[in-house]
Each structure stands twice: as C-alpha cells, then as structure tokens.
Amino acid sequence: AQKITQTQPGMFVQEKEAVTLDCTYDTSDPSYGLFWYKQPSSGEMIFLIYQGSYDQQNATEGRYSLNFQKARKSANLVISASQLGDSAMYFCAMRESAAGGTSYGKLTFGQGTILTVHP
Amino acid sequence: DTEVTQTPKHLVMGMTNKKSLKCEQHMGHRAMYWYKQKAKKPPELMFVYSYEKLSINESVPSRFSPECPNSSLLNLHLHALQPEDSALYLCASSPHIHGELSNQPQHFGDGTRLSIL
C-alpha cells in the first residue's frame, strides 16, 4: 500500500503567486517525521522543510510553509511568492519511528509533483 | 554547493566494466545512504550505513557492492551491470538513524548519472 501519496503529477503557477502541493500519508506509528524535498533538473535533492508528528505548530521556513492536518494525515507544502527558480520536482517523504524494526533510517517518498512557474 | 560530494558526476560504462562511485561528507554524520533514481520517479533506497556498519540492504543485486571505509566516506562498487541499472545514483547522510536525531533531514549530494552501454 502506498504510504505517501502526491496526487498532482504536475502543477503550474504564475510568478509571484502562491501554490499548494498536496501530500497525504498513511502510518499507524504515532512517531513520524514528514519532509519536503525539491529536485531541480540538475538532480540534487534539496531539503526544504520538516514537520514532526508531535509538533504543535505548522512548520515554516522562509517562503515555504507546511499545512499539517494530522487527523486528515495530510502535509501540504505551500510556496508563497513563487519564483522562476522554484520550477522543479517536489517530493514529500516520511520517516517512521526509529525504535526497533528494520524501517529505521528509511525515508518513504511520494511519486513527486513537477512544478512549473510561468513568468 | 552541497555538503555531500559525489564523484564522478557522470559515468558511462560497459556491462563488463568495474567502476566505483564515491561519496564524501564532513558534517560528522554517522548515517549514510545510497539511493537509485530513475527519471521522473522517486529515489529508491538501496543501502543504509550506521556507524560504518551496513544496517539496511534493500535486496539489492550483488553486482552493487557498498563499502564504508570510514565515517566520512561511502563507496558503491559496480560490476557486471545491466542496461536497466542506468539511473541517477544519490548519496545522502544524516546525523543519526536512532533516537531524537532520527528525524533530522537527510542531506543529499548532486548524484552520479550512470549509463550502462
């Protein structure tokens, strides 16, 4: 079963507008972390923002914010004031508890969303 | 510039060749990872090293052989690869895989684009 679902294969946004990239997840573990990464065409995976399952507030990092709705198991990325350089593939990823088991250290990625920013 | 350095950036090799991919980090991280990524797909985990010991092998074929000579270096030795092994190979590191630090982000290198002829 898919643990991380990104339902938008591609998104388009006008420069300087805000855009929301969707991510839903599935886990029965009470302790987990959610990450967003950006991957430009050059290939590097760039860490953007992190949300812990016990965090009370939504994470923010500059123009990036995470709309975390725990009951709905969603962790959408909001990019404000889009820039041309934001055009890239965006991955949502989850790390489940490191306490025992063989899943420790493992990130599960969604299929990604390609964001295109138009001038 | 990334803090995880991968060499070479591009590699073309024949199916009978032996080559190695290298990864280096100087952030004091004790967990290091190899991922394989096909175009427009998410990265797939191959190996995890924790404190220079192999912790996870995701049922990777033996033609891929990882090595962690010390806490800063991670190698991936390649031998008798198949055309379907052509992909972007990403190395990553993180402070730890256990406890409170386990939710620190993984830092990725730029990757090696591997083509098998």
Side-chain angles (χ1 to χ4, degrees):
Chain A
Q2 189 101 4
K3 287 198 167 185
I4 296 281
T5 303
Q6 294 180 252
T7 56
Q8 307 153 315
M11 286 286 285
F12 296 87
V13 66
Q14 206 71 26
E15 196 179 6
K16 299 179 186 174
E17 302 275 305
V19 64
T20 298
L21 306 184
D22 295 342
C23 173
T24 57
Y25 60 92
D26 183 27
T27 181
S28 56
D29 197 329
S31 176
Y32 53 89
L34 296 157
F35 303 81
W36 276 93
Y37 285 88
K38 170 186 177 182
Q39 188 176 37
S41 56
S42 58
E44 181 195 352
M45 293 282 282
I46 302 166
F47 165 71
L48 296 178
I49 196 166
Y50 162 77
Q51 181 83 44
S53 57
Y54 295 120
D55 293 344
Q56 296 295 313
Q57 294 192 323
N58 287 344
T60 60
E61 203 64 61
R63 294 186 300 111
Y64 304 107
S65 60
L66 208 150
N67 183 1
F68 182 47
Q69 298 189 46
K70 195 170 181 178
R72 294 186 178 184
K73 293 188 176 177
S74 75
N76 298 339
L77 176 70
V78 180
I79 305 174
S80 63
S82 296
Q83 302 172 354
L84 296 178
D86 293 335
S87 293
M89 174 80 95
Y90 288 80
F91 289 103
C92 178
M94 177 172 66
R95 174 179 286 166
E96 293 167 283
S97 173
T102 57
S103 64
Y104 59 87
K106 182 175 178 177
L107 277 181
T108 302
F109 287 87
Q111 291 299 304
T113 296
I114 299 175
L115 175 66
T116 304
V117 181
H118 289 304
Chain B
D1 288 341
T2 62
E3 295 168 316
V4 177
T5 304
Q6 289 187 243
T7 55
K9 293 198 181 304
H10 300 273
L11 178 61
V12 180
M13 58 186 286
M15 288 190 284
T16 58
N17 291 157
K18 284 186 181 180
K19 295 285 185 185
S20 297
L21 308 186
K22 296 186 184 301
C23 175
E24 190 168 0
Q25 58 88 15
H26 293 288
M27 294 178 282
H29 289 174
R30 302 316 298 269
M32 295 187 78
Y33 312 78
W34 279 116
Y35 288 87
K36 173 184 177 181
Q37 187 181 24
K38 294 287 219 179
K40 299 195 188 318
K41 295 292 185 184
E44 298 172 1
L45 182 67
M46 299 174 73
F47 303 103
V48 180
Y49 272 83
S50 174
Y51 288 86
E52 296 94 71
K53 288 188 175 8
L54 184 64
S55 297
I56 297 177
N57 177 342
E58 291 284 287
S59 303
V60 179
S62 60
R63 57 185 184 269
F64 294 92
S65 175
E67 178 197 18
C68 191
N70 60 55
S71 60
S72 300
L73 291 174
L74 186 66
N75 298 322
L76 187 62
H77 303 297
L78 314 172
H79 174 53
L81 294 195
Q82 303 297 309
E84 61 265 27
D85 297 323
S86 297
L88 178 69
Y89 287 83
L90 291 162
C91 173
S93 71
S94 66
H96 212 300
I97 60 172
H98 292 291
E100 292 181 3
L101 294 178
S102 65
N103 281 331
Q104 290 294 308
Q106 292 181 16
H107 296 258
F108 286 79
D110 288 345
T112 294
R113 291 194 188 275
L114 177 66
S115 297
I116 306 300
L117 300 178

